[in-house]
Amino acid sequence: MTASANAGAVHTRRDGDILVVTLDHPPVNALSFAVRGGLASAIDEAEADPQVRAVLLTGAGKNFIAGADIREFGKPPVPPSLPDVCNRIEACAKPVVAVLQGAALGGGLEVALAAHYRVALASAKLGLPEVTLGLLPGAGGTQRTPRLIGAQAALDLMLSGKPLAAQAALAAGLVDELAPGTDPLAAGLDYTRRLLAQGAQPRRSRDGRALDDKAAALAAVNAASQQVASTARGLFSPAKIVEAVRAAIEQPFDEGLRTERALFLQCLDSPQRAGLIHAFFAERDTAKILELKEAKPRPLDSVGVIGGGTMGAGIVVALLDAGLPTVMVEQDDAALERGRKRVEQVYDLLVKKGRMTADERGARLARFTGATNYDALAGADLIIEAVFEDMDVKLAVFAQLNRVAKPGAVLATNTSYLDVDRIAQGTTRPADVLGLHFFSPANIMKLLEVVVGRETGADTVATGFELARRLRKIPVRAGVCDGFIGNRILAVHRQAADMMMEDGASPYEIDAAVREFGYPMGPYQMADLAGGDIGWATRKRRAATRDPALRYVQIPDRLCERGWFGQKTGRGFYLYPDGARTGTPDADVLAIIDAERLRTGITPREFSHEDIQRRYLAAMINEAANVLHQGIALRPSDIDMVFLSGYGFPRYSGGPMHYADRVGLANVLADIRAFAKEDPAFWKPSPLLVQLAESGRNFASLNSAG
């Protein structure tokens, strides 16, 4: 093999009559301007060298190309553009082969599609995830993909954003061959030499014939258009993806590229794209905390969970899925058996749905043991308490853990509201104690609030973040207060909803308005799903310390007094006949609301959907500003991640703090001051919100904390 060119992000060297082009831009060969320029230069080099008969594109390290370089997001573009590079690759007069391993995503797959032939290793993952950032594939992906694999398969790939494994990509027609082994260079050279021996010429994706059945292709596009309209809930880019694929069917290739570019630029300018990009970076920034700079995680090889209820069993499943041996402790054999069955039911359902094999189920359950004695936790590196939300119960548990846990074990409480510092003081090792607030179902929900007490050690915090990494969850650091970040803010905007309900809006109107904003469900649907008794218990716990100046709406209590706790009891704010999962409005609930209005002397008034949204969001943003002002959250983007990953806030809106910046903090403050004329005790502007709005600053200006 002879070297012929350049150090840097792209290396070229000759292997006989094949020019090997290696993309070498750690950590994932992202498409920086240096990579783009290097690729274009490599094609020029190949065409200028008469001894080169073919070009092989390969990635150094574990990936081909994982997509755009996030370090260039938001910066002015530097030529060459990726569309130009892809067109240059495709136009090459000599065969270009891409050998794919690891990630071939976004622009990385578009580069591979511009090549004339594609061979993949078993590790390859091929995808066009641009929709998750509010974009569409803008370097020919919407034009080449359907010409190669058909409109339906291309739309599925682009609208889902989910990657295909190598075998599925072969079956779809995205790659030409699967190669054995793990050496991409050897696989690529072998495949390219066989092509040359067969006299292969450039075979351009633009000439693909998978759209020849125009009627079938248009039928797929029309069906996708209808599905997007009914399920995308206001998302911008999915409809543009469908439009671009329609252009691939109806327009010549070069015209289709121009259409794609125009649609891409429309997506680029949309507020949704800005919200999704903000969410992308906010998710990564949650790990920027002082404790991770100061300390390393403690060992984390075995875990104990106390409690086998819905939450405890879900936590156990999450731990088993992460490969961690886990012991569940319950109070007696009957409770332990119920907990074990809850764990097994999760896996049985996955096997039934074909999402897990029986062997995989067996391997996970082999890591599970049960016990009715705290002594079984003596060897655990981390113990998570997931018992009833009652301080005395939790203090009793931690007294036992203080006795049996080995030195250095991390002791975690899964409380949703309670004082982690008080729980820690029930032990002789408060530095080992933290809160791990999982969200239900714990094996599915991505959010994990890591609650840091006054004396929690930095290595204890680091262990909480390491656990989140292993569980593939999004950790957000929270300080100690009633409800931490998410539930504290939730209580306030739920109170705003309750006041609107008593003042004249039905719970069904409020839910509809919140869904219209982009939530998957409204606050009363969520209350019915979670169980009304949970909120009722919290309200009763807080009754003694409730500020008498604050208005208290009793409508939810009236429902709970009747045993109407939501889905699990067949009725709550909605009716759930015969175990239905979707509720229907209940005339009896409306009658209770009318009676409460009469009792409190309230004359009902009308609220438009916009009125409901403005009050609901203003209450949320104002309390979020208080949480930030008091240091419970480190930065505004952390609050955004809590609501995006744990509470259903629409991701394309970027979270409540990003949304507030877009609306304008002065406008939010003006709304709060207007609402305060009716109820100054509840609508009390946050000092931080006032400070930022009156100085012309925004929440984003505070995102460098940590």
Side-chain angles (χ1 to χ4, degrees), residues 26-27 42 61 65 104 114-115 195 203 207 227 297-298 300 318 376 392 437 443 495 513 536 541 583 612 640-641 700:
I65 304 171
L195 285 175
R203 183 201 59 181
D207 300 324
Q227 183 180 11
R298 298 183 187 182
L300 191 54
D392 290 338
H437 180 205
N443 54 305
Q495 171 69 5
W536 194 30
R541 176 174 59 81
I612 292 166
D640 285 335
M641 280 319 302

Side-chain angles (χ1 to χ4, degrees), residues 387-450:
V387 300
F388 187 67
E389 189 78 345
D390 178 272
M391 180 59 78
D392 290 338
V393 174
K394 290 183 185 289
L395 287 172
V397 168
F398 272 79
Q400 292 287 348
L401 297 185
N402 194 58
R403 176 181 64 82
V404 303
K406 68 183 182 182
V410 172
L411 311 181
T413 174
N414 176 54
T415 180
S416 303
Y417 292 95
L418 300 180
D419 187 338
V420 172
D421 285 324
R422 187 176 168 201
I423 292 171
Q425 292 306 316
T427 75
T428 58
R429 44 171 119 175
D432 296 342
V433 178
L434 82 166
L436 291 176
H437 180 205
F438 288 83
F439 288 72
S440 187
N443 54 305
I444 295 173
M445 294 294 285
K446 287 289 189 183
L447 178 62
L448 180 64
E449 284 184 320
V450 180

